[in-house]
Amino acid sequence: MRIGSWDEAREAGLREAEKRLNARIERYWVDSISLEPKPMGGLWSVRLELQLRKGLGKRLVRVSMRLDPKTGEVKEFKAAGSERAF
């Protein structure tokens, strides 16, 4: 899947995070989304803060990933978060 815009990068990032974290995203906030220059790789860099629901609990997770704009392939994925009761 080709990623040609900021919105497409956000949607691809949300789908990938939901799949990898195996939880439903309740709310999200965009930290940053940018397209790197070609000499630096030419990848979309997506950073999101997510409120996830898993079972009875909720947790906040920050994810960052790099996506290939031509194929939509995830080149790098990192997640960090904590369990929290709301």
Side-chain angles (χ1 to χ4, degrees):
M1 175 184 106
R2 186 170 170 82
I3 301 173
S5 71
W6 189 93
D7 288 330
E8 290 173 356
R10 181 192 65 214
E11 290 303 316
L14 289 169
R15 280 192 311 271
E16 189 64 27
E18 200 166 55
K19 181 175 77 174
R20 289 192 184 216
L21 299 172
N22 193 29
R24 189 173 58 99
I25 296 172
E26 257 191 20
R27 296 172 70 189
Y28 69 91
W29 299 267
V30 175
D31 185 8
S32 67
I33 297 177
S34 61
L35 181 60
E36 298 172 351
K38 288 272 188 206
M40 297 181 70
L43 301 174
W44 282 101
S45 177
V46 179
R47 293 179 184 204
L48 305 167
E49 294 183 23
L50 309 172
Q51 180 179 339
L52 302 175
R53 175 176 291 271
K54 192 167 187 177
L56 297 176
K58 293 182 185 180
R59 65 183 179 149
L60 294 176
V61 178
R62 288 183 177 177
V63 297
S64 63
M65 64 195 82
R66 293 169 38 117
L67 307 168
D68 186 310
K70 293 179 183 171
T71 64
E73 179 184 356
V74 178
K75 298 292 187 177
E76 181 181 311
F77 184 91
K78 295 179 185 174
S82 62
E83 294 289 330
R84 275 182 135 170
F86 288 88

